[in-house]
Amino acid sequence: NAGVMQNPRHLVRRRGQEARLRCSPMKGHSHVYWYRQLPEEGLKFMVYLQKENIIDESGMPKERFSAEFPKEGPSILRIQQVVRGDSAAYFCASSRAGTVNTEAFFGQGTRLTVV
Amino acid sequence: GENVGLHLPTLSVQEGDNSIINCAYSNSASDYFIWYKQESGKGPQFIIDIRSNMDKRQGQRVTVLLNKTVKHLSLQIAATQPGDSAVYFCAEKGPYDYKLSFGAGTTVTVRA
């Protein structure tokens, strides 16, 4: 049973380009969470999605950032017109149900570098 | 993340000794706590969790203690091994909440 799969593992973008980060949840999981980790810091919640629905995007910047979790395919975190401050590790987690009562498993992350 | 923190950013431990990693939280409504281990270049790995109706829980070589009176959480690792070298995060969430709040992490280095 494969774990949470994220790709790419490393992504380099120039300022102003778009970054697309993908996350395939564990088999049987329909809840996806995106977190961002800056160097030397803990993870910060960004967005929580279920299939075809954004449940909570309170941690995601209002501009340039968007997320989706379509009926088919992986969840996508999209960052438009990237800036240097977007450089971070982006982690996706998935759970079978909302993590009120269940554990969320994390992927290996995508490390975004904006040059 | 702002409600959860760790007392020490780094901890150096002799191989074979026991490790104690501490975490303070400020949200008294939190009722679920998790310890994660993160190795370099990898994602957080679940170690152990505890709910607020408990004050102690044991796993394989690890024990989590919860003191709700002083809002303190600790992770004890018995007979620390080189493979335990990593950054350790505590995370918490409140009832009916689904997002975790993480502390800044403690870097554990095991000396041979």
Side-chain angles (χ1 to χ4, degrees), chain B:
Chain B
E2 288 76 13
N3 289 337
V4 181
L6 291 165
H7 290 307
L8 291 173
T10 61
L11 178 66
S12 180
V13 183
Q14 185 68 39
E15 182 178 357
D17 287 352
N18 296 334
S19 303
I20 299 177
I21 306 166
N22 295 305
C23 178
Y25 65 96
S26 58
N27 186 357
S28 57
S30 293
D31 69 341
Y32 181 56
F33 305 86
I34 308 177
W35 280 100
Y36 284 95
K37 172 186 180 183
Q38 186 177 25
E39 296 174 277
S40 181
K42 297 186 177 180
Q45 177 187 358
F46 174 91
I47 301 174
I48 192 167
D49 60 0
I50 189 168
R51 299 195 182 278
S52 58
N53 61 351
M54 304 172 69
D55 53 22
K56 180 180 180 179
R57 190 158 188 239
Q58 288 184 293
Q60 187 177 12
R61 278 202 309 120
V62 295
T63 300
V64 55
L65 299 176
L66 175 62
N67 185 331
K68 293 181 289 293
T69 302
V70 295
K71 295 198 281 289
H72 182 268
L73 189 72
S74 69
L75 177 70
Q76 300 177 4
I77 305 174
T80 311
Q81 303 169 359
D84 294 328
S85 293
V87 180
Y88 289 80
F89 294 95
C90 63
E92 50 119 12
K93 68 180 187 67
Y96 312 111
D97 205 356
Y98 41 74
K99 54 188 175 185
L100 294 166
S101 294
F102 283 81
T106 293
T107 300
V108 173
T109 303
V110 180
R111 306 188 306 272

